[in-house]
Amino acid sequence: MLSALPIEIYAVFLPLVAFVIAFLGGKYIGDRASQIVTSGALIISAIISIILFNDVVLHHAPRMVSLASWISVADLQIDWALRIDQLTVVMMCVITIVSACVHIYSVGYMSHDPNKARFMSYLSLFTFAMLMLVTSDNLIQLFFGWEGVGLASYLLIGFWNHKHSANRAAMKAFIVNRVGDFGLALGIFATFAIFGSVSFDVIFERAAELSEVSYVFLGQTVHALTLICLLLFVGAVGKSAQLGLHTWLPDAMEGPTPVSALIHAATMVTAGVFLVARFSPVFEYAPMALEVVAVLGALTAFVAATIGMTQFDIKRVIAYSTMSQLGYMFFALGVSAYSAAMFHLMTHAFFKALLFLGAGSVIHAMSDEQDMRNMGGIWKKIPITYVMMWIGSLALAGVPFFAGYYSKDMILEAAFADHTLIGNFAFWMGIAAALMTAFYSWRLILMTFHGEPRASKKVMSHIHESPAVMLVPLFVLASGALFAGYLFYESFVGHHKAEFWGHALFVLHANDTVEAAHHVPFWVKKLPIVVGVFGIAFAYLLYMFQTTWPTAIARVMKPVYKLFYNKWYFDELYDNVFVKGALIKGNAFWKIGDGMIINGLGPDGLAWLSNKISIRMKAIQSGYVFQYAFTMMIAVIAIISWFFYRAGVFTHG
């Protein structure tokens, strides 16, 4: 019976099976068995995903796997099905390969943690939720996976729940993402109201037909598809940490380092990019929504890069680089370069996971130290990790022939080829971000590995290379960071892109900026390389030769430095505007509304009144017979008087 199941089911549900075994049976089978089960399930899932990639993309055989009839309410008919097309299998390969590497790496990294089985189970649950999201065939199923990812991220970020900072970070991620998810939910409602369905096939087929339809929203008549796209984009902004709903991302560093690699590389933060790419047939008929996506993406890329230049926590620097690179993906989506955005999503997953796991190896070697100001002079002690970090940084900086060079440059060229004011804005914001990316990437390398050792002698004496179980995943990811760009360039964004993507992505002919990107001027193609080299050279100057200059520059440009170092004061702004106000109102509702009114007039008030009455009645119970007789006499007189009153004796005389 099991052998008859389609292999797609195994790819998606094996991580779920592994989660159940490790979570419920971990204490019975032991930590080692839990690690084997979860890691083995992800390796098998990754192999199946590669097989599906070969079938669907190379042999042009997209398919649909129906699982069950799920929801049937009036006009709402939803089947639970797996949509296996080109976009899906690309995401499946990225998710399962990176997740398998993270699972294996975690065996070594979490070796001293007492809750290994629970951690591995959470990783598998996270992966399953992400796979459910990318294989969804309708918006309700997508929302199911979307919220599953949010739940799993909460569990992973707050895994070390004995730390107050981890609990706060988990709550922050959960709450901020709920803001975005509310927008996504409204988008799903609007989609059903306009299309009469939440099925992707129905929505995409009718998008052109309904491209001129208007809809009344909050008393205003608006373009229906623009409304849908903007509401869906709100969800993407939260999940992919775009400017405004980004504050949870750096705080997510409170989780174990493998969690950072999983969340920031190939899974959670890419969900928003996937959502917009999936809905390309709708976004293409909503040009205003695309402009919003492009502008916000460009601003995110720039702002995140400015913050990354000033941070000292090694994981936070990489986290802000993730936010910046996601900005690149979104402004690529905004100029209709969906294939370029997906190309960068794929290459970024490899080199960013490599950087995070490499940073984890550094932290492991440095006795859990994360502040780069307390590092330095360690490259000879951990040479393999050093080389891996170099490869990841070269790819991130967009140095020629590394993966990031092919994908990031294509995004910049597509933005320029858009030939609009917003396209030019995105291009120059991207160039500025590319300069800063190269700078902070080598700032990280030089502060971490070079110069004089700044750690204590005790820490320096314990520095050693990570075990093989942590290094092998780095080699796998490094292979992607080295070769993925070159190998897949022609398929993703080159002359074979139409054949590669099939009907998974939709671009109007007039909006094909990826095709136009191949014909931009020479200087546009070379400018990212020039600014990248300049950024690297400037980092070498400041952190290898003129080591007093960074402090001097920070002092001279103190207002700007403080702005960047304090993350543009977004956290302070939200704390003053939303958090403190919410706490004041919450306390008022609690003490006045709940305490004084509801409880006061309700259960507490009734209890108080009953108590007072009982005390009064108790005082009457003196024990003297004459008092009881007197009371009975008064009662008899009262009853007789009432009887005569009712009979009219007192009225008529």
Side-chain angles (χ1 to χ4, degrees):
M1 184 68 180
L2 290 176
S3 61
L5 294 174
I7 63 169
E8 296 88 349
I9 294 178
Y10 290 101
V12 174
F13 287 94
L14 273 176
L16 177 63
V17 174
F19 158 72
V20 172
I21 294 173
F23 184 73
L24 298 180
K27 65 179 180 180
Y28 303 108
I29 64 175
D31 292 336
R32 181 60 68 192
S34 297
Q35 292 170 334
I36 293 172
V37 168
T38 52
S39 301
L42 261 297
I43 292 171
I44 296 171
S45 185
I47 293 170
I48 296 173
S49 298
I50 295 169
I51 294 170
L52 289 172
F53 181 91
N54 181 71
D55 289 346
V56 173
V57 175
L58 303 182
H59 293 94
H60 314 292
R63 69 209 55 178
M64 193 80 67
V65 180
S66 183
L67 300 178
S69 180
W70 193 19
I71 300 174
S72 180
V73 181
D75 294 333
L76 183 62
Q77 306 292 324
I78 301 174
D79 290 335
W80 193 2
L82 305 180
R83 187 184 187 92
I84 310 295
D85 61 4
Q86 291 87 341
L87 185 61
T88 298
V89 294
V90 168
M91 291 297 297
M92 286 180 69
C93 285
V94 170
I95 293 166
T96 54
I97 292 172
V98 173
S99 186
C101 290
V102 169
H103 274 73
I104 297 169
Y105 181 92
S106 299
V107 173
Y109 191 87
M110 303 294 288
S111 60
H112 300 295
D113 195 277
N115 301 299
K116 302 180 193 62
R118 180 164 62 89
F119 181 76
M120 300 300 289
S121 71
Y122 288 171
L123 291 180
S124 296
L125 176 64
F126 191 101
T127 308
F128 165 71
M130 195 66 197
L131 289 172
M132 283 303 306
L133 193 160
V134 301
T135 57
S136 57
D137 183 48
N138 57 77
L139 280 168
I140 304 299
Q141 190 177 330
L142 182 143
F143 193 73
F144 173 79
W146 195 274
E147 292 302 301
V149 168
L151 170 63
S153 68
Y154 169 79
L155 296 173
L156 285 167
I157 295 170
F159 179 76
W160 285 328
N161 50 39
H162 59 276
K163 297 168 58 180
H164 181 63
S165 58
N167 291 325
R168 286 179 59 89
M171 284 299 300
K172 187 176 183 178
F174 193 80
I175 293 170
V176 172
N177 273 277
R178 296 295 73 74
V179 176
D181 295 352
F182 180 67
L184 177 61
L186 291 178
I188 295 172
F189 299 152
T191 302
F192 183 72
I194 293 164
F195 287 92
S197 175
V198 292
S199 173
F200 292 160
D201 286 334
V202 175
I203 296 168
F204 299 159
E205 287 173 6
R206 299 190 63 197
E209 172 192 340
L210 300 175
S211 60
E212 302 299 327
V213 172
S214 297
Y215 187 74
V216 178
F217 182 72
L218 299 178
Q220 302 294 319
T221 302
V222 295
H223 183 235
L225 297 192
T226 299
L227 173 66
I228 289 172
C229 290
L230 288 177
L231 289 173
L232 294 178
F233 179 58
V234 172
V237 169
K239 204 65 93 190
S240 294
Q242 294 299 281
L243 198 64
L245 296 179
H246 68 282
T247 55
W248 68 270
L249 191 69
D251 287 4
M253 297 299 100
E254 290 293 336
T257 299
V259 174
S260 304
L262 199 60
I263 289 177
H264 295 84
T267 51
M268 183 171 174
V269 293
T270 61
V273 180
F274 167 81
L275 176 63
V276 177
R278 173 61 81 198
F279 269 76
S280 58
V282 183
F283 273 88
E284 283 296 285
Y285 295 103
M288 185 180 296
L290 284 176
E291 291 175 354
V292 172
V293 174
V295 170
L296 192 63
L299 289 173
T300 301
F302 178 82
V303 170
T306 62
I307 300 172
M309 291 194 300
T310 60
Q311 302 303 301
F312 293 102
D313 187 304
I314 187 171
K315 288 171 65 176
R316 286 182 179 266
V317 174
I318 304 173
Y320 278 109
S321 80
T322 297
M323 178 180 162
S324 183
Q325 298 305 304
L326 287 165
Y328 276 95
M329 298 175 209
F330 272 99
F331 77 68
L333 296 168
V335 298
S336 297
Y338 305 103
S339 58
M342 293 304 302
F343 188 30
H344 196 52
L345 184 154
M346 185 266 293
T347 60
H348 172 264
F350 288 112
F351 64 72
K352 187 53 57 72
L354 176 63
L355 284 171
F356 268 117
L357 296 187
S361 188
V362 171
I363 296 167
H364 180 79
M366 294 288 298
S367 304
D368 297 326
E369 178 62 67
Q370 293 184 199
D371 195 325
M372 296 186 297
R373 291 170 294 189
N374 298 326
M375 299 180 184
I378 63 173
W379 73 272
K380 291 182 179 179
K381 293 179 178 291
I382 47 173
I384 299 175
T385 300
Y386 176 63
V387 172
M388 296 295 108
M389 293 292 287
W390 257 85
I391 294 172
S393 298
L394 288 166
L396 174 62
V399 172
F401 311 117
F402 289 82
Y405 161 73
Y406 295 94
S407 56
K408 188 161 72 175
D409 280 25
M410 176 52 66
I411 289 175
L412 292 169
E413 291 161 17
F416 184 88
D418 190 49
H419 296 303
T420 63
L421 180 63
I422 288 176
N424 282 329
F425 172 76
F427 172 76
W428 288 110
M429 286 290 100
I431 290 295
L435 171 64
M436 291 183 283
T437 300
F439 172 79
Y440 66 65
S441 295
W442 257 259
R443 174 178 177 265
L444 184 151
I445 289 286
L446 297 172
M447 287 188 71
T448 302
F449 295 100
H450 292 275
E452 294 296 321
R454 295 180 295 276
S456 65
K457 291 183 178 180
K458 182 180 179 181
V459 171
M460 292 297 296
S461 66
H462 288 91
I463 294 177
H464 59 279
E465 190 62 89
S466 298
V469 73
M470 292 174 61
L471 294 178
V472 169
L474 298 185
F475 283 102
V476 175
L477 296 169
S479 300
L482 283 167
F483 306 117
Y486 172 77
L487 291 175
F488 292 101
Y489 177 84
E490 285 296 327
S491 298
F492 274 73
V493 296
H495 300 298
H496 304 300
K497 69 178 189 301
E499 183 182 2
F500 180 90
W501 290 110
H503 299 292
L505 298 177
F506 176 79
V507 183
L508 293 171
H509 182 71
N511 295 347
D512 195 354
T513 52
V514 173
E515 180 61 33
H518 295 287
H519 309 289
V520 297
F522 178 79
W523 69 269
V524 174
K525 293 179 178 291
K526 300 305 176 184
L527 185 59
I529 302 174
V530 173
V531 298
V533 171
F534 181 81
I536 294 172
F538 192 54
Y540 264 102
L541 176 65
L542 294 187
Y543 293 95
M544 287 293 288
F545 303 110
Q546 302 293 338
T547 55
T548 59
W549 284 18
T551 304
I553 293 171
R555 188 165 48 251
V556 172
M557 303 180 65
K558 188 175 180 179
V560 176
Y561 177 80
K562 286 184 66 178
L563 178 67
F564 294 169
Y565 182 75
N566 291 294
K567 299 162 285 189
W568 291 66
Y569 296 102
F570 272 98
D571 283 305
E572 289 79 3
L573 175 65
Y574 290 170
D575 189 55
N576 287 311
V577 174
F578 298 112
V579 178
K580 290 181 179 178
L583 287 173
I584 292 170
K585 292 175 183 173
N587 281 325
F589 280 120
W590 170 43
K591 293 180 179 179
I592 299 173
D594 190 56
M596 296 175 63
I597 297 175
I598 297 174
N599 288 337
L601 298 178
D604 290 349
L606 292 174
W608 177 84
L609 182 62
S610 299
N611 186 53
K612 290 296 183 183
I613 293 172
S614 66
I615 291 172
R616 297 286 183 178
M617 295 298 293
K618 181 182 177 181
I620 299 174
Q621 308 298 319
S622 63
Y624 294 109
V625 175
F626 72 86
Q627 288 188 352
Y628 297 151
F630 179 75
T631 302
M632 290 174 64
M633 185 180 69
I634 295 296
V636 170
I637 293 171
I639 292 169
I640 293 171
S641 299
W642 179 81
F643 177 79
F644 282 142
Y645 174 79
R646 295 290 296 174
V649 174
F650 297 143
T651 305
H652 302 291

